Amino acid sequence: MDNIVIIIAFCVYLVGMLYIGWWGMKKSKGAEGYYVANRACGTWLSVGTFTGSFISAVAVLGYVGNGYAKGYMSLINVLGCVASFYLIYFCFLKPIKKRFDNLCTIPELFEAMYGSKAMSTFTSVVTIALFVATLVSQIKGGSLICSTILGFDYRTSLYIITAVFVLYTVMGGMYSVVYTDLIQTGILVIGVLVAAPFALKLVGGISAMQETIAIVNPIALDPIGTVGGWWGMISTFISFGFGIAATQYYLLRIYSAKNMKTARRMVSISCAIWTVVGIVLVILGICARIVLPDISTADNAIIELAYHMPLAVRVMLLIGIACAIMSTTDTILLAAGTYMGRDLYRMVRKNVAEEQTLKTTKICVVLLGILAGILAINPPDMIIKLTTFTTGVTASGFFAPLVLGFFWKKTTREGAMAGMFGGVILAVIYQLVNTSPIPVAGFGVVLSFALTIIISLAGPKAHPVYLPPEKNED
């Protein structure tokens, strides 16, 4: 009987998401409606889609799984994410919203700032690859939860999840995404917060949790040692802080907010929500390690823990996990399809009509969704590993050219290109050959800043950064 209730709730949820996709298709008119929801999202729509994009399979399955495996070390990741909100607020909100609000993508922004199609193309190609890698982790998470709820095997569940999120994303674009994100974020936050006291009750309270985890998993209480010492902690913090701040599907939400005040509220409220939810997710992981010490796959920890809770809580938590996964997956898929169908396509075909780029974007959304689904058939063991890779590349390649371009007038095209290319190359090579637990971001960000500054000062000065005048309206 319990399983039937969960199955019905999950099926209603999936049908609801498809309905909103169909509704968004009717509401979304033209390219700006599809790409940035006509730049008309109010405070709660903006908060819903920003928070929903942030709290993903990586956050729910990954952070709980990491808390299960490594304990309080996961709080370093959580705090890095909090730092990313501050970086977005102070470094990116005003320049993007007041100077570049006529654009739709970050590759367009790099081209406008530096007059370089090479930077735009490189950004699009690298970011699409990172988006597809991130989609793989999201689809894995969605397939695990779908398999658990519906009782299907992993591959069948993968087909269902992939079909649903591709359909509702391609139908309505950003309109579908922001409304589904708002609903899914609400369900997710309630599910996670309601589950927390029940999880603590299972382990006998906070004090008992601390005492027991010291016996069951001693490394849980040594976050600095677990992450590879102080430099490992700093590099992990930089990886998540700088990497997430420069992750482009978050920055795209600045375009869709209706004004600067809305954008500020979007980031501030989302930061508060994430701080609470992030800490709770780590605690859930530690509780799961005590209650279920022999789980073979750490990413399954929160799903297994849910089945030790009352039915109502179990339903809310499991559906909430699905919401976390889908609300980020649609965001990433739309951004990847937009970069391919809008930015790269216009590199190949000059002066193409906006209607044609929109059609191409929709085709790319479908193709990239299918590709990610195929790659997710054999995904990495832990979702958090894939995220560390993508945030490391993002932090190393894109943060310095953006920040220096916005705030240092001596930045040049050549310097920004050197910082971007050098950071990405180092991050990819380091992570492919390195076996230590220390993330690349600490090295990559330093190199990217150094190359951008040195080449800007010592190299050609013919192509300085361009910043259009700020708009007066708030």
Side-chain angles (χ1 to χ4, degrees):
M1 180 63 183
D2 288 359
N3 285 339
I4 293 175
V5 172
I6 297 173
I7 290 170
I8 292 173
F10 187 67
C11 291
V12 169
Y13 159 71
L14 292 180
V15 172
M17 294 303 102
L18 289 173
Y19 173 78
I20 295 173
W22 173 78
W23 174 85
M25 179 175 63
K26 296 197 301 180
K27 190 174 179 65
S28 179
K29 304 296 183 184
E32 284 227 341
Y34 194 84
Y35 295 134
V36 290
N38 288 328
R39 309 182 198 276
C41 293
T43 297
W44 291 110
L45 270 181
S46 296
V47 169
T49 189
F50 194 91
T51 306
S53 300
F54 201 91
I55 305 177
S56 60
V58 174
V60 179
L61 299 184
Y63 282 99
V64 174
N66 213 35
Y68 182 92
K70 301 178 181 179
Y72 287 109
M73 173 265 171
S74 294
L75 287 177
I76 300 172
N77 300 340
V78 172
L79 293 175
C81 294
V82 172
S84 74
F85 283 99
Y86 284 93
L87 290 170
I88 291 172
Y89 190 95
F90 290 107
C91 296
F92 297 144
L93 273 187
K94 186 176 179 181
I96 292 176
K97 198 65 184 171
K98 290 208 165 189
R99 295 185 188 273
F100 297 100
D101 199 36
N102 60 314
L103 305 179
C104 293
T105 69
I106 302 304
E108 287 180 333
L109 187 150
F110 276 120
E111 184 175 352
M113 288 174 67
Y114 295 109
S116 172
K117 291 189 180 297
M119 289 185 72
S120 175
T121 303
F122 183 79
T123 301
S124 296
V125 171
V126 171
T127 306
I128 289 169
L130 296 177
F131 283 170
V132 170
T134 308
L135 279 173
V136 170
S137 66
Q138 300 297 322
I139 294 172
K140 174 191 174 182
S143 302
L144 288 173
I145 191 69
C146 182
S147 177
T148 300
I149 293 174
L150 299 182
F152 297 141
D153 61 85
Y154 174 82
R155 185 169 294 197
T156 302
S157 301
L158 183 150
Y159 297 152
I160 294 172
I161 288 295
T162 303
V164 170
F165 84 79
V166 169
L167 278 174
Y168 80 71
T169 302
V170 76
M171 282 193 290
M174 185 64 85
Y175 264 115
S176 296
V177 167
V178 295
Y179 279 95
T180 54
D181 284 357
L182 176 62
I183 295 169
Q184 292 179 127
T185 299
I187 297 172
L188 159 67
V189 172
I190 292 171
V192 169
L193 296 183
V194 168
F198 288 94
L200 288 171
K201 184 179 179 180
L202 288 172
V203 299
I206 294 177
S207 298
M209 179 186 74
Q210 292 290 91
E211 294 172 3
T212 308
I213 197 64
I215 300 170
V216 174
N217 186 24
I219 66 169
L221 302 179
D222 182 22
I224 296 176
T226 303
V227 80
W230 284 99
W231 178 244
M233 184 187 74
I234 293 169
S235 193
T236 300
F237 185 85
I238 290 174
S239 179
F240 281 80
F242 287 33
I244 291 173
T247 296
Q248 295 169 33
Y249 51 84
Y250 301 130
L251 301 183
L252 294 177
R253 267 61 196 149
I254 300 173
Y255 289 134
S256 61
K258 68 179 181 180
N259 54 37
M260 186 66 188
K261 184 181 293 185
T262 300
R264 288 193 181 112
R265 289 173 178 168
M266 171 184 74
V267 177
S268 301
I269 297 172
S270 297
C271 181
I273 293 171
W274 164 250
T275 302
V276 175
V277 171
I279 293 171
V280 169
L281 290 173
V282 176
I283 291 173
L284 289 175
I286 294 171
C287 291
R289 184 61 181 263
I290 296 170
V291 176
L292 302 158
D294 300 317
I295 295 176
S296 58
T297 303
D299 286 337
N300 289 338
I302 192 169
I303 300 173
E304 298 287 343
L305 184 65
Y307 279 87
H308 287 72
M309 297 184 180
L311 177 61
V313 179
R314 190 188 319 158
V315 171
M316 292 180 66
L317 184 55
L318 290 175
I319 301 300
I321 296 168
C323 289
I325 294 160
M326 300 289 272
S327 64
T328 304
T329 304
D330 56 20
T331 294
I332 300 170
L333 180 61
L334 179 61
T338 301
Y339 281 23
M340 182 172 285
R342 180 182 174 89
D343 295 318
L344 291 182
Y345 184 64
R346 292 196 302 185
M347 296 291 178
V348 178
R349 292 194 61 184
K350 309 296 182 183
N351 303 317
V352 64
E354 196 74 82
E355 293 79 7
Q356 184 59 45
T357 64
L358 184 55
K359 290 179 183 178
T360 306
T361 295
K362 292 180 178 182
I363 293 171
C364 291
V365 165
V366 175
L367 294 178
L368 289 171
I370 293 171
L371 173 62
I374 293 171
L375 294 175
I377 292 174
N378 294 298
D381 290 336
M382 283 189 68
I383 288 174
I384 201 74
K385 292 181 180 178
L386 200 51
T387 304
T388 302
F389 183 94
T390 57
T391 55
V393 175
T394 302
S396 301
F398 302 119
F399 188 82
L402 278 172
V403 170
L404 290 174
F406 287 149
F407 297 103
W408 189 46
K409 294 181 179 179
K410 293 184 179 180
T411 308
T412 65
R413 176 200 298 175
E414 290 75 14
M417 290 176 68
M420 179 184 289
F421 297 171
V424 168
I425 292 169
L426 172 66
V428 172
I429 293 175
Y430 177 94
Q431 294 185 106
L432 290 178
V433 302
N434 177 59
T435 56
S436 78
I438 300 175
V440 68
F443 307 104
V445 169
V446 170
L447 175 67
S448 186
F449 269 100
L451 287 174
T452 304
I453 293 170
I454 292 170
I455 301 300
S456 293
L457 292 174
K461 304 294 191 296
H463 305 106
V465 63
Y466 167 72
L467 296 176
E470 290 187 359
K471 294 190 304 182
N472 292 325
E473 67 271 18
D474 197 332

